């Protein structure tokens, strides 16, 4: 039985992971795009991304486009698997298959 | 757009609400049954129930069966509606309909 993943369950992180899971494997999202889409502050999004990176669920790549710093985020295979397991756990709870 | 309900989102409370939502409207569950099903301690379940009661999502009825104290829990109409809204919000996130 899949279990609730407390790292992923937190609302902002759930939305980050859902957004990343919806794009192709190994594709990246731009930090600014994600911040605007999720309506989070830079600091808030940054803190949640760091937590997800520490758990090895995402990768953060910092680079420059011309002179502008850009940050790209992608989901790891571990992250994708953990996200899917978490969704399975939520579904099981909602459908009454577990406590 | 339905929003994540932070009271309900907490894992133990999500499981409590899902269990209550699966029974008939106005039906009650026994505290001991709920505790065993969810594998929570008395104190832990009690604290979560109190929080849900404070939000008026559940009703707690204490009574005696013979000389034994018994506690029964049921979901309010508000609780049922909030739970359903919360599930809608989760589904929207998972299906990528919102941030």
């Amino acid at each position: 039985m899949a279990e609730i993943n407390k790292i992923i369950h937190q609302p902002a992180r759930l939305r980050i992971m859902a957004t990343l899971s919806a794009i192709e494997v190994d594709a990246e999202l731009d930090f600014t795009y994600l911040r605007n889409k999720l309506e989070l502050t830079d600091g808030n999004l940054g803190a949640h991304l760091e937590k997800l990176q520490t758990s090895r669920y995402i990768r953060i790549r910092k680079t420059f486009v011309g002179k502008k710093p850009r940050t790209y985020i992608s989901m790891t295979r571990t992250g994708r698997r953990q996200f899917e397991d978490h969704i399975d756990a939520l579904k099981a709870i909602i459908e009454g298959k577990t406590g």
Side-chain angles (χ1 to χ4, degrees), chain A:
Chain A
M1 180 64 74
E3 298 236 341
I4 289 281
N5 178 318
K6 287 186 181 167
I7 300 292
I8 299 175
H9 195 57
Q10 194 282 334
R13 292 196 291 270
L14 184 64
R15 295 165 71 220
I16 293 167
M17 293 294 276
T19 305
L20 287 167
S21 80
I23 63 172
E24 282 177 61
V25 173
D26 296 330
E28 294 179 313
L29 286 183
D30 181 87
F31 182 95
T32 307
Y33 167 85
L34 205 51
R35 183 198 64 196
N36 294 343
K37 182 173 165 61
L38 304 185
E39 297 179 348
L40 297 170
T41 62
D42 280 3
N44 201 234
L45 177 57
H48 287 305
L49 291 177
E50 200 173 301
K51 186 129 190 165
L52 291 169
Q53 185 185 40
T54 301
S55 300
R56 305 197 176 190
Y57 293 169
I58 65 166
R59 264 181 302 269
I60 300 174
R61 184 169 68 87
K62 289 173 188 286
T63 184
F64 281 84
V65 175
K67 288 188 174 174
K68 287 190 179 172
R70 294 288 281 276
T71 300
Y72 296 99
I73 299 108
S74 59
M75 197 173 221
T76 63
R77 275 157 213 271
T78 299
R80 195 167 287 267
R81 195 174 58 239
Q82 292 292 328
F83 177 73
E84 286 167 2
D85 283 355
H86 180 68
I87 299 307
D88 286 347
L90 286 182
K91 284 183 180 163
I93 289 171
I94 293 166
E95 291 163 9
K97 287 182 190 156
T98 182

